[in-house]
Amino acid sequence: MSPVGSTVSIVAVSGGVTAPRGFTAAGVHCGIKARGLDLALVVAESLSSAAGVFTTNLAVAAPVIVSRQHLAASGGRARAVVVNSGCANACTGHAGLEVARLMAAEAARALGCDAEEVLVASTGVIGVSLDPRTVTDGIIRAAEVLGDAGHADAARAIMTTDPFPKEHAVRVETPGGVFHVGGMCKGSGMIEPRLATMLGFVTTDATVAPELLRRALVDAAETTFNAITVDGECSTNDSVFALASGASGVTIGEPDYELLVEALRAVCQELALGIVRGGEGATKLVTVHVTGARTYDDAKQAARAIANSLLVKTAIHGGDPNWGRLVAVAGRCGSAFELSGARVVVGDTVLFEQGRPFDERAPEAAAHLAGRDVRVAVDLGVGGPEDATMWTCDLSADYVRINAEYRT
Amino acid sequence: MSPVGSTVSIVAVSGGVTAPRGFTAAGVHCGIKARGLDLALVVAESLSSAAGVFTTNLAVAAPVIVSRQHLAASGGRARAVVVNSGCANACTGHAGLEVARLMAAEAARALGCDAEEVLVASTGVIGVSLDPRTVTDGIIRAAEVLGDAGHADAARAIMTTDPFPKEHAVRVETPGGVFHVGGMCKGSGMIEPRLATMLGFVTTDATVAPELLRRALVDAAETTFNAITVDGECSTNDSVFALASGASGVTIGEPDYELLVEALRAVCQELALGIVRGGEGATKLVTVHVTGARTYDDAKQAARAIANSLLVKTAIHGGDPNWGRLVAVAGRCGSAFELSGARVVVGDTVLFEQGRPFDERAPEAAAHLAGRDVRVAVDLGVGGPEDATMWTCDLSADYVRINAEYRT
């Protein structure tokens, strides 16, 4: 193996979670939702290294509790992940924990492994019980149709209000051999991951020790799943799992750590941007870049505040280059800020600099905001060296409609 | 004077900022806005005690800078406040500061006092210059029509997207005499005051030393202007001013501090709730009460997070008693929280308690949410003694429409 950047290439390939060798997947309809696929399995041929990052919400859902326990009990090894949509199995008390354990046990029975080698995730409405017979039936049927081509159905089966499935995979060519990273995720509302995200599943056919995989997953998530926001919410169920089958024959050790992070990031970023593009009511992907910050935390705090600002998100929805709202958020977000040195750029157009507005350039900036992929950049004006990027979407009347009508 | 509660009564009266003796007011149209009143004066007959609390936004607007300087230079005394709507005079550089100083100087010339005895406030679009001749013309005309009845025009002249003017006044009867507190405010979007609010103006005819007035204003604001949110934003111009004319002949000293705070709070709370009721796109006033917190800060943090949650605000807009979203926000907000002890109440209906949902009661809770004044309460489940209240409004498609189209 060689370090990043020498003769390594990372190229996108098809195949989602089954692009890496050693994995099969399936998605079926079992009746948790009235219609549509609602149960997914991702299965490794043999016991694999496994890692997870989870929600920081203290109202933690049953499947998160069970997956954490299983990862600890197995020493960071897993054979499979079982996922349902249509029901979050959150705030469901002791009965909810029993159903989450049953899901692992039934998948283990179908696959011939220990229950502790199965990880569990759920997404959907909070506070509704998950019927044990329905989900058991789904697991049995999903296990029967596992295959290389199952990745697409699996990616559909984990959707709730998502407008489209989100998959990505890359092939990593190195002097030491070729390996793959694949993934799928879901998420549309209740999205502002802090140490986790909605549901994300990443596979690789590299051989990676569980502890190295965990560290790399945390690092890759920081600038991908943890750098997106749709509505500033952090769910009770947020989880990202990584499984490493080793089927490529390529071993990733400590010296290759940066390469591993880069490969995971390549997949996680595409998946994370897919969540934002498919955010509830979203019509635009907005890249928020903050520069000139004293510290990285200041940069990320300002980027997060801008990305969550209702006034910024509605202005962008309306195609309005309202730089004043960007300045106002930067000034209130708690990061070091100096108005006289601040700069606001929309697309490539500087609208405010050295205390002076350039409103005559507003039409140029408005033309940029009319597109679907838009960029805003704010320099905090204190001459610092740090920057950070967050991705968000605009806020539309459809967001309100979706969330005022979701449950009733 | 006597302590609070013995034989004191506080009753609502009409008259807004001129209900207290010793004040006149006016509101005129001078052309900052295309139509409608856009300039207000509130004037004390003689030099009065004055206090202000201001935005914590680091992108601070010119009128805030000037008012702070004038309060410091005058030792907490003022004769008048001059306010314009239609232009925030924020992010306008050196020229903006000059116009803010000119506003004070022109008002001082018309009233025959020092410029440092005039406070200044502006509200409207950020980054647009305020024309000196237009505003000077307005000040001269407003000074000509000052009167007791001018409070209503003044309250209209400070409006931007506000759907209605906000005034309130009370008469405070004590064994030591009768005094009044009156006020007006504006605010509809960019509302989440932290140490201040949009624009608020409170008058009293009690005699109060400047330092006592300042402390009481800060205390009264904490549970009123600082306990409301429309959209989680903190403006560049937020200011609340208090003027005490002493014209009632009643003197408030340190032993009467609690009475002073209570009287200010009576006016500030009505004004603050008016901001929320008139919040951009709002159809409901939502009272968020958090109980069982370990500390007051925990309680207020949780109440603020719930009051700012897009998912909570859209659910309430849709009349959906979605207690799961309330639990999810309480769990992620950073306050100590224990799911097994948590409780959610909508109106008077318990929907979640001791880890158990009561979805059969959802219709009763939905009936409560169909009203215009609605209440949600969350116990954090950790058995603490503290509680806090925040007021917010629902989030409607109209909010998006207003803010996507405000400037263009």
Side-chain angles (χ1 to χ4, degrees):
Chain A
M1 289 297 308
S2 73
V4 182
S6 55
T7 50
V8 172
S9 76
I10 298 180
V11 292
V13 295
S14 61
V17 287
T18 57
R21 276 168 281 180
F23 293 97
T24 54
V28 299
H29 169 71
C30 67
I32 303 167
K33 295 198 287 201
R35 56 186 177 170
L37 305 181
D38 53 14
L39 191 130
L41 270 180
V42 178
V43 175
E45 276 173 13
S46 54
L47 195 59
S48 295
S49 292
V53 289
F54 300 99
T55 182
T56 55
N57 198 311
L58 297 177
V60 62
V64 174
I65 294 171
V66 168
S67 290
R68 275 200 186 118
Q69 288 172 343
H70 286 192
L71 276 172
S74 69
R77 306 270 170 187
R79 269 295 304 284
V81 191
V82 54
V83 197
N84 74 277
S85 59
C87 173
N89 195 11
C91 303
T92 43
H94 187 69
L97 273 175
E98 288 196 341
V99 179
R101 291 202 179 99
L102 175 75
M103 286 171 69
E106 289 295 335
R109 187 202 315 260
L111 302 170
C113 68
D114 288 348
E116 286 170 350
E117 292 165 5
V118 178
L119 304 172
V120 187
S122 298
T123 177
V125 183
I126 295 173
V128 172
S129 296
L130 188 54
D131 179 54
R133 287 177 59 178
T134 306
V135 75
T136 299
D137 173 58
I139 289 165
I140 291 167
R141 289 200 291 113
E144 285 167 358
V145 296
L146 282 167
D148 282 352
H151 64 90
D153 282 349
R156 288 200 164 273
I158 63 175
M159 291 163 61
T160 53
T161 54
D162 304 58
F164 50 81
K166 287 163 276 286
E167 295 187 282
H168 193 64
V170 296
R171 190 161 100 141
V172 186
E173 298 179 2
T174 78
V178 171
F179 70 95
H180 301 80
V181 180
M184 64 179 186
C185 73
K186 69 80 50 185
S188 191
M190 209 181 262
I191 298 288
E192 188 196 12
R194 288 188 190 262
L195 292 178
T197 184
M198 289 300 283
L199 301 183
F201 305 91
V202 182
T203 54
T204 176
D205 47 16
T207 299
V208 188
E211 172 53 23
L212 200 68
L213 185 62
R214 193 196 61 77
R215 269 200 287 140
L217 183 62
V218 169
D219 276 358
E222 169 62 18
T223 54
T224 58
F225 291 115
N226 283 345
I228 61 169
T229 178
V230 168
D231 54 12
E233 304 281 358
C234 170
S235 139
T236 51
N237 290 53
D238 294 345
S239 305
V240 182
F241 295 102
L243 298 180
S245 69
S248 67
V250 174
T251 298
I252 300 271
E254 191 70 46
D256 316 304
Y257 181 74
E258 288 303 317
L259 171 61
L260 178 61
V261 172
E262 195 178 329
L264 290 176
R265 193 177 280 153
V267 170
C268 291
Q269 179 167 322
E270 274 305 303
L271 295 176
L273 294 192
I275 289 179
V276 179
R277 278 184 218 277
E280 290 174 347
T283 72
K284 295 172 196 297
L285 172 69
V286 185
T287 303
V288 177
H289 189 210
V290 168
T291 57
R294 282 214 185 117
T295 64
Y296 172 74
D297 286 350
D298 262 15
K300 191 142 183 188
Q301 178 170 270
R304 186 183 296 281
I306 292 167
N308 277 327
S309 160
L310 301 199
L311 289 177
V312 170
K313 288 158 72 82
T314 49
I316 289 173
H317 180 62
D320 175 9
N322 194 323
W323 58 266
R325 294 183 184 177
L326 290 161
V327 170
V329 177
R332 73 149 159 88
C333 72
S335 302
F337 174 83
E338 176 52 50
L339 184 59
S340 62
R343 187 175 64 244
V344 175
V345 188
V346 170
D348 298 316
T349 308
V350 177
L351 290 178
F352 180 79
E353 195 170 31
Q354 296 185 314
R356 204 194 130 192
F358 296 93
D359 280 332
E360 67 278 15
R361 301 174 185 164
E364 191 183 308
H368 172 75
L369 292 181
R372 290 185 57 85
D373 273 28
V374 306
R375 289 171 288 116
V376 299
V378 176
D379 191 289
L380 297 183
V382 292
E386 297 293 334
D387 74 307
T389 297
M390 289 278 296
W391 291 278
T392 189
C393 53
D394 55 340
L395 178 66
S396 69
D398 271 355
Y399 176 89
V400 176
R401 191 183 50 70
I402 290 165
N403 283 296
E405 296 170 5
Y406 180 51
R407 185 157 171 264
T408 45
Chain B
M1 289 296 308
S2 72
V4 182
S6 55
T7 49
V8 172
S9 76
I10 298 180
V11 292
V13 294
S14 61
V17 287
T18 57
R21 276 169 279 179
F23 293 96
T24 54
V28 299
H29 169 72
C30 66
I32 303 167
K33 296 198 288 200
R35 55 183 177 171
L37 305 181
D38 52 14
L39 190 128
L41 270 180
V42 178
V43 176
E45 275 172 12
S46 54
L47 194 59
S48 295
S49 292
V53 291
F54 300 99
T55 182
T56 55
N57 198 311
L58 297 178
V60 63
V64 174
I65 294 171
V66 170
S67 290
R68 275 199 186 117
Q69 288 172 345
H70 286 192
L71 277 172
S74 69
R77 306 270 167 187
R79 268 296 304 283
V81 192
V82 54
V83 197
N84 75 276
S85 59
C87 173
N89 194 11
C91 303
T92 43
H94 186 68
L97 273 175
E98 289 196 341
V99 178
R101 291 203 179 99
L102 175 75
M103 287 171 69
E106 290 294 336
R109 187 202 315 261
L111 300 171
C113 66
D114 287 349
E116 286 170 350
E117 293 165 5
V118 178
L119 305 172
V120 186
S122 298
T123 176
V125 183
I126 295 173
V128 172
S129 295
L130 188 54
D131 179 52
R133 288 177 56 179
T134 306
V135 77
T136 298
D137 173 57
I139 289 165
I140 292 167
R141 290 203 289 115
E144 286 167 359
V145 296
L146 282 168
D148 282 353
H151 64 90
D153 282 350
R156 288 202 166 269
I158 63 175
M159 291 164 60
T160 53
T161 55
D162 305 57
F164 50 81
K166 287 163 276 287
E167 295 186 281
H168 194 63
V170 295
R171 189 160 99 145
V172 186
E173 299 181 1
T174 77
V178 172
F179 71 96
H180 300 80
V181 180
M184 65 178 186
C185 73
K186 69 80 51 184
S188 190
M190 208 180 262
I191 298 289
E192 189 198 11
R194 289 188 189 264
L195 291 178
T197 182
M198 288 302 281
L199 301 184
F201 306 90
V202 182
T203 53
T204 176
D205 46 18
T207 299
V208 189
E211 173 52 24
L212 199 68
L213 185 63
R214 195 197 60 77
R215 270 200 286 140
L217 183 62
V218 169
D219 276 358
E222 168 62 18
T223 55
T224 59
F225 291 116
N226 284 344
I228 60 169
T229 178
V230 168
D231 54 13
E233 304 282 357
C234 170
S235 141
T236 51
N237 291 54
D238 294 345
S239 306
V240 182
F241 295 102
L243 297 180
S245 69
S248 68
V250 174
T251 298
I252 300 270
E254 192 68 47
D256 315 304
Y257 182 73
E258 287 304 317
L259 171 61
L260 177 62
V261 172
E262 194 178 330
L264 291 177
R265 192 176 282 152
V267 170
C268 292
Q269 177 166 324
E270 274 305 302
L271 295 176
L273 294 191
I275 290 179
V276 179
R277 279 185 219 275
E280 290 176 344
T283 72
K284 294 171 198 295
L285 171 69
V286 185
T287 303
V288 177
H289 189 212
V290 167
T291 58
R294 279 209 189 122
T295 64
Y296 172 73
D297 286 351
D298 262 16
K300 190 139 184 191
Q301 176 170 272
R304 187 183 295 280
I306 291 167
N308 277 327
S309 161
L310 301 199
L311 289 177
V312 169
K313 287 157 74 83
T314 49
I316 289 173
H317 180 62
D320 175 9
N322 194 322
W323 58 266
R325 293 182 183 177
L326 289 161
V327 170
V329 176
R332 73 149 161 89
C333 71
S335 302
F337 174 83
E338 176 54 50
L339 184 58
S340 62
R343 186 175 65 244
V344 175
V345 187
V346 170
D348 299 315
T349 308
V350 176
L351 290 177
F352 180 78
E353 195 170 31
Q354 296 185 314
R356 204 194 130 194
F358 296 93
D359 279 332
E360 67 278 14
R361 301 173 185 166
E364 190 184 310
H368 173 75
L369 291 182
R372 289 185 59 85
D373 272 30
V374 306
R375 289 171 287 117
V376 300
V378 176
D379 191 289
L380 297 182
V382 293
E386 296 294 334
D387 75 307
T389 297
M390 288 280 295
W391 290 279
T392 189
C393 54
D394 55 340
L395 179 66
S396 69
D398 271 354
Y399 176 89
V400 176
R401 190 183 50 71
I402 291 166
N403 283 296
E405 295 171 7
Y406 180 51
R407 186 157 172 266
T408 47

